[in-house]
Amino acid sequence: MKVVIQRVLESSVTIEAKKVASIGKGLLVFLGIVNDDTQDDIDWLCNKIVNLRIFGDENGVMNKSLQDVGGELILVSQFTLHAATKKGNRPSYIKAAKPEVAIPLYKACIKALEDVLGKTIKTGEFGANMQVELINDGPVTIIIDSKQKE
């Protein structure tokens, strides 16, 4: 699993001209899933996302987590995070999991995040053409791959 995490002041997801999710201060998380991802990847990544200390404390130092600041979270599935671009100019998405694998893992990730946070998170819609708006705070953007636990 690979995620792109953006610290935001606000973010929203629109599908077919209808806003389906919006948050204030928190994290916008794009999630890409591959075939060999498991519940272990989900558990590790969700704990990492929720506990990343990327919010400012009273001294403006990034010492607080999403939980510490009571922030919100939007999770958006994005198979293009696993684009292979080595050959040619047209990306290949062969590494991205097919829907029959990805959808259950996406739903499990939503549940895991909600369990760790103790509240409902907002989401996009798997496979939909979405318009995602955000005001990146900082900017702070972090990429994490569960297969590269360093």
Side-chain angles (χ1 to χ4, degrees):
M1 275 183 182
K2 186 181 290 186
V3 293
V4 174
I5 301 165
Q6 297 190 307
R7 187 180 75 184
V8 297
L9 294 176
E10 61 184 60
S11 181
S12 66
V13 178
T14 302
I15 301 171
E16 295 181 3
K18 181 181 179 206
K19 191 174 286 190
V20 297
S22 64
I23 63 168
K25 182 178 181 176
L27 299 175
L28 167 62
V29 179
F30 294 103
L31 173 69
I33 300 169
V34 294
N35 285 321
D36 63 347
D37 285 330
T38 67
Q39 188 65 44
D40 288 339
D41 293 289
I42 291 168
D43 294 341
W44 182 83
L45 206 49
C46 290
N47 279 310
K48 183 67 78 172
I49 291 166
V50 170
N51 292 301
L52 272 178
R53 294 179 3 194
I54 58 174
F55 291 90
D57 63 14
E58 53 282 343
N59 297 315
V61 178
M62 287 196 278
N63 271 330
K64 294 193 173 194
S65 70
L66 183 66
Q67 284 188 308
D68 294 335
V69 299
E72 299 178 276
L73 191 144
I74 292 182
L75 183 69
V76 176
S77 64
Q78 188 173 356
F79 73 93
T80 60
L81 291 181
H82 291 289
T85 58
K86 187 174 181 179
K87 293 167 120 181
N89 293 318
R90 184 173 185 214
S92 167
Y93 304 106
I94 196 85
K95 293 180 183 178
K98 301 287 185 246
E100 57 270 12
V101 171
I103 291 171
L105 290 171
Y106 176 65
K107 289 180 179 179
C109 194
I110 293 167
K111 182 180 181 328
L113 284 166
E114 290 179 339
D115 288 349
V116 173
L117 282 170
K119 63 182 177 182
T120 302
I121 67 165
K122 305 290 177 71
T123 67
E125 181 182 317
F126 188 92
N129 182 358
M130 297 173 269
Q131 292 71 54
V132 180
E133 293 184 83
L134 70 138
I135 298 176
N136 193 316
D137 182 22
V140 173
T141 302
I142 296 174
I143 301 169
I144 303 175
D145 189 328
S146 66
K147 304 298 191 234
Q148 299 176 356
K149 299 174 185 160
E150 298 173 349

